[in-house]
Each structure stands twice: as structure tokens, then as C-alpha cells.
Amino acid sequence: MRPPDLRSARRRHRAGPARGRRQSNEIIAFRPLLDPLDLTGAVVTFDALLTQTDHAKFLVEEKRAHYIAVLKGNHPSLHALVKELPWREVDRTRATAHGRDEIRRLKAATVPRLPFPHADQALQIVRRRRTLRTGKVSIERVYAITSLTVHQANAADLAERIRGHWAIENREHHVRDVTFGEDASRVRTGGAPRAMASLRNLAIGALRLAGWDNIAEGLRHHGRDMTRPPAALGLT
């Protein structure tokens, strides 16, 4: 079972400038969205914005779940500590995505007394990407922490879970941001953000089921003929 979409929640909860209306974001929406779910034994993955001590305690102590949390500048001391670990001495796990287009290498190390609730292992993820059109190569290093011990998840297990996280990000959130311009949407009040997110998900899901890997191309194809969208939805 997939967790609720925290990005859509940000838009549902975000208030306008009117006085007295509560401002909100993904951080505030985290607990209310996950609280009703049975997460016992589940592993929740999230990006740096949601790497909060209260979230870690909530997941492990109350929901009996685990987490994999990305570290960035919002935790500068912890990020620096993890970044400066002797990673050259740690064995790596390698995975290839999209053929030769992207290679990911993950290293995991057990670090006693990490200054974050229930953190047991530190992770280094290196992504090497090559743009097929231009041949340009880029390398990105990302650091993370997890409550999973090495006995519960080794480097290969963690790499698989992180690939699953990015599969959702690339196949849904990236499409919604880039193709549908969701982050630039001015629809922010009432139930409209949820409705628009549902419509975007409907369009993406329908195109995926119809065999379209490139959602932008699928939208262009269906936009050229008004009879095609109803047919794709099984309405004709």
C-alpha cells in the first residue's frame, strides 16, 4: 500500500494570504496523513524536507515502522558528519537504471550514536547520469540515514528500497511537475488542489495503461483528436 501523497497535501493545506487562515506545508501534513495507516514493519522513505526528529520518533515509537531519510542543508551538522565518514573504506552496491543512462552506487555504514532519533546506518548514494542526446555526464552525491540495522537491511536491500522511492518520484511527481506544471499551479483553495491532483493522476494512469511511457508525447497525441481521450478512458 502506498502512503498518501504529501506533495498534494501541501497544496490542499496551503492557505492564501487572507488574515487568520493557517499556513501549512508537507511537514505539518506528515503526521495527520500517516496516522490512520497501519505502518507496522513498513519502511517509509522521504526527502530532506521531511527529515525531522519528530517524524522519526513518530514512525518508530508510535507506528512501529522504519524510515530512510535524506539529509541536506536543513541538518547541516548531521549532514557534515555523515558526509565526512570514511566512505572510501566502505564496500559499495551498484545498480543500473535505464540501460547505460544512469548508474547508482550505494554505500551503507553502521554508525553508533548518530545524533538523530533511532538512526542506525548512514548511507551514501552516488548517481552517475549520462544524457543520451548530448552525452553530458553528471555525478550527484546524496547522503541519508535509516533506522534499519544492518541485520534488517544490507546495502543491496537499501538500494532496492531507494530505487522504489525514485521510481515513484520519476514516474509520477516528476511528470506532474514538469509535464503538468503542478508546482506553478495557482489552484490552492478548498478541495480544488486535491481535485486537480486526482485529475492529473487519472491522466497519467490512463496513459500508462494505454502503453505510453512518455506522458508528454501521449498528451500531444490525444490532444490532436477530441475522440481519443474518451476512447482511452473506455467511454466510447
Side-chain angles (χ1 to χ4, degrees):
M1 178 174 61
R2 284 181 51 188
D5 187 346
L6 294 170
R7 293 164 63 113
S8 297
R10 173 185 60 195
R11 296 174 176 87
R12 293 200 300 272
H13 288 271
R14 181 187 291 154
R19 182 176 297 176
R21 304 185 77 177
R22 184 184 180 188
Q23 296 290 329
S24 186
N25 55 32
E26 294 176 35
I27 296 174
I28 296 174
F30 185 89
R31 179 165 183 150
L33 285 171
L34 298 184
D35 206 19
L37 302 179
D38 180 6
L39 297 177
T40 304
V43 179
V44 180
T45 62
F46 43 82
D47 292 331
L49 176 66
L50 296 172
T51 302
Q52 307 288 330
T53 57
D54 288 345
H55 294 167
K57 292 178 181 178
F58 164 69
L59 288 171
V60 177
E61 297 172 13
E62 298 185 37
K63 303 302 291 183
R64 300 293 184 264
H66 289 283
Y67 64 82
I68 300 174
V70 172
L71 291 174
K72 287 187 179 177
N74 56 337
H75 287 279
S77 299
L78 180 58
H79 180 266
L81 185 155
V82 172
K83 182 179 180 180
E84 292 169 7
L85 291 172
W87 291 110
R88 292 179 181 273
E89 302 173 15
V90 181
D91 292 336
R92 68 190 182 189
T93 293
R94 172 173 168 163
T96 302
H98 311 300
R100 297 182 179 178
D101 183 30
E102 180 173 336
I103 297 173
R104 302 188 190 97
R105 297 181 178 93
L106 183 142
K107 296 181 178 181
T110 299
V111 183
R113 297 183 296 279
L114 276 169
F116 195 83
H118 305 287
D120 193 271
Q121 293 189 83
L123 316 178
Q124 183 196 67
I125 305 116
V126 179
R127 300 190 186 102
R128 181 183 182 277
R129 297 188 182 93
R130 180 173 65 88
T131 304
L132 295 178
R133 183 173 59 84
T134 64
K136 182 179 179 180
V137 175
S138 64
I139 297 176
E140 178 187 20
R141 285 179 175 82
V142 179
Y143 297 92
I145 50 177
T146 179
S147 60
L148 292 161
T149 69
V150 68
H151 302 293
Q152 294 169 318
N154 58 25
D157 298 326
L158 293 167
E160 183 177 355
R161 292 185 183 279
I162 291 171
R163 281 198 301 273
H165 173 93
W166 283 103
I168 295 172
E169 180 73 23
N170 292 335
R171 287 179 61 84
E172 183 178 336
H173 298 315
H174 180 76
V175 172
R176 283 161 53 178
D177 285 345
V178 175
T179 304
F180 289 92
E182 186 174 66
D183 277 350
S185 174
R186 306 297 296 177
V187 179
R188 298 179 178 177
T189 58
R194 173 180 285 182
M196 291 303 299
S198 297
L199 290 173
R200 295 183 190 105
N201 287 339
L202 173 63
I204 294 168
L207 290 171
R208 298 261 188 235
L209 289 172
W212 292 92
D213 291 325
N214 188 318
I215 299 301
E217 184 179 351
L219 289 173
R220 290 192 295 269
H221 171 81
H222 287 80
R224 296 188 189 106
D225 186 338
M226 63 182 297
T227 65
R228 290 172 180 171
L233 294 171
L235 301 178
T236 58

